[in-house]
Amino acid sequence: MAAEEGQVAVTVSNKQVIFNNYVSGFPKESDMSIAVGEINLKLPESAAAGVLLKNLYLSCDPYMRPRMRNSSGSYVGAFQPGSPLSGYGVAKVLESGHPNFEKGDLVWGSTGWEEYTVSTEPGQLFKIQHKDVPLSYYTGILGMPGMTAYVGLYELCSPKKGEYVYVSAASGAVGQLVGQFAKLAGCYVVGSAGSQEKVDLLKNKFGFDEAFNYKEEQDLAAALKRYFPQGIDIYFENVGGKMLDAVLGNMRLRGRIAVCGMISQYNLESPEGVHNLASLIMNRIRMEGFIVSDHYHLYPKYLEMVVPKIKEGKIVYVEDTAEGLDNAPAALVGLFYGRNVGKQVVKVADD
């Protein structure tokens, strides 16, 4: 619980990644800067019911790009120029004024891009129960991306044995899991990625039946027809734009599309249109967007499913780790150029 009255508080330096200003086009490292301030390692009175966190790992995620725009109407607020970025991370509780957390707890959830964060909304944090796996997994397979893969595939698309599944951006934090979950369900799975290294990873490490480099395909519709001569039952959508158009022309009757993200569109001032929407009617396709935070009540059910499979080696997870906050801007920017191989993580500190 919170520190006792009269206890001497320690002041330490607090390195932060500051968001400089709103972004047009592709983000650059110069859109962020590193600053060092000070923080009192005691909960302020204004956050008496909050928690003080020491951040250990931070998660780089595609949804952070729309937060760099000066716009409203999104499901998550824009970053504020002059303030630290925020996102998902793993942290240790240094002090708590909240009944659900106590000093020493390890948690994952929303935190600041800085060494120490005062969280005034502990309801957005999850206490880590399984500590016999890498803590960084809670930025990925055991955190938001894992839940995203689980909800999008199982809850929205209900895969059946023998169905044909296509995953775009398949080597990323979410895609690598969607493919493995679909294989466990007995599906035929094909993924696309942006380099030969990633294609090899999909086939040799994650067990996809086939994979291709979309950058080497002049005609995406023809490529999908080649890999799915029978058509696609389930498409896990991470890309949007031309890829979505090509998929719509190759869907099977009563196919399902889980719309998770559209990373190809996030850096465009004028998003690309989609032309094959009539396929939704003719093929009775169900296409549904979702926000993972609407489904966090399923997290205990997800852990019951995935933790044993991790321990049994039935699911593997690949991370790309940047060391230290100084390297966090480059890690985040690299996400939008496809530089990461696997889940992009920033390690801030040791436990």
Side-chain angles (χ1 to χ4, degrees):
M1 297 300 289
E4 296 180 5
E5 190 174 345
Q7 181 176 320
V8 177
V10 177
T11 298
V12 297
S13 64
N14 187 24
K15 186 179 287 187
Q16 302 174 311
V17 180
I18 303 296
F19 179 59
N20 291 337
N21 212 337
Y22 298 116
V23 175
S24 296
F26 277 81
K28 307 178 294 295
E29 289 179 49
S30 59
D31 294 321
M32 295 160 272
S33 55
I34 304 297
V36 180
E38 290 187 339
I39 186 169
N40 199 318
L41 294 185
K42 182 180 184 300
L43 279 173
E45 290 184 9
S46 60
V51 291
L52 175 63
L53 302 173
K54 177 185 178 182
N55 293 314
L56 306 177
Y57 293 94
L58 298 175
S59 177
C60 296
D61 296 298
Y63 84 92
M64 298 173 75
R65 174 60 187 89
R67 299 188 68 190
M68 295 179 173
R69 289 197 189 98
N70 185 12
S71 60
S72 57
S74 175
Y75 68 95
V76 61
F79 294 131
Q80 295 302 307
S83 296
L85 282 77
S86 60
Y88 284 92
V90 175
K92 186 174 186 176
V93 176
L94 298 184
E95 186 184 355
S96 175
H98 193 279
N100 291 353
F101 303 99
E102 57 186 45
K103 181 178 179 179
D105 282 347
L106 292 167
V107 297
W108 73 269
S110 181
T111 191
W113 274 41
E114 54 192 349
E115 291 178 290
Y116 300 94
T117 296
V118 174
S119 174
T120 57
E121 297 181 328
Q124 297 185 17
L125 298 173
F126 296 81
K127 189 183 294 188
I128 291 174
Q129 307 290 354
H130 300 276
K131 300 173 186 175
D132 50 351
V133 295
L135 279 180
S136 57
Y137 275 18
Y138 287 90
T139 68
I141 186 171
L142 296 178
M144 179 273 289
M147 273 294 293
T148 301
Y150 175 76
V151 169
L153 183 67
Y154 289 109
E155 297 296 316
L156 270 64
C157 294
S158 304
K160 302 177 186 65
K161 185 176 180 179
E163 288 193 312
Y164 299 95
V165 177
Y166 174 51
V167 187
S168 56
S171 68
V174 175
Q176 59 174 289
L177 294 174
V178 175
Q180 292 180 81
F181 292 164
K183 286 302 299 176
L184 288 172
C187 299
Y188 178 85
V189 183
V190 177
S192 60
S195 73
Q196 188 58 47
E197 178 186 11
K198 293 178 181 180
V199 167
D200 292 342
L201 196 67
L202 293 176
K203 293 195 287 189
N204 301 330
K205 183 121 184 144
F206 300 138
F208 283 58
D209 293 288
E210 284 290 349
F212 66 93
N213 182 350
Y214 70 90
K215 293 179 181 177
E216 294 180 350
E217 300 292 342
Q218 299 297 316
D219 185 335
L220 290 173
L224 291 175
K225 185 68 72 178
R226 190 166 74 246
Y227 287 101
F228 293 100
Q230 309 298 321
I232 300 166
D233 291 297
I234 294 173
Y235 173 45
F236 199 97
E237 166 67 305
N238 289 312
V239 171
K242 295 179 178 65
M243 183 65 81
L244 175 58
D245 236 2
V247 169
L248 284 169
N250 281 279
M251 291 293 292
R252 301 184 81 188
L253 196 66
R254 305 198 187 284
R256 289 87 75 202
I257 301 174
V259 185
C260 169
M262 295 194 172
I263 196 169
S264 75
Q265 306 300 295
Y266 294 160
N267 298 304
L268 303 180
E269 291 302 303
S270 299
E272 297 169 326
V274 177
H275 304 281
N276 287 329
L277 289 174
S279 176
L280 296 175
I281 304 166
M282 293 181 289
N283 292 306
R284 292 76 141 183
I285 297 164
R286 181 163 54 81
M287 180 170 160
E288 183 175 352
F290 70 103
I291 303 298
V292 67
S293 55
D294 294 340
H295 302 269
Y296 277 152
H297 61 282
L298 298 173
Y299 184 59
K301 179 182 172 186
Y302 171 62
L303 286 181
E304 283 181 19
M305 183 277 283
V306 77
V307 171
K309 288 181 169 52
I310 294 172
K311 293 179 178 178
E312 293 163 11
K314 292 182 178 177
I315 292 178
V316 295
Y317 200 62
V318 171
E319 298 175 316
D320 193 329
T321 305
E323 294 284 342
L325 281 171
D326 290 328
N327 291 312
L332 179 58
V333 168
L335 205 64
F336 302 100
Y337 291 90
R339 293 175 193 150
N340 59 301
V341 178
K343 166 65 191 172
Q344 184 65 66
V345 182
V346 177
K347 183 177 181 180
V348 181
D350 292 313
D351 179 15

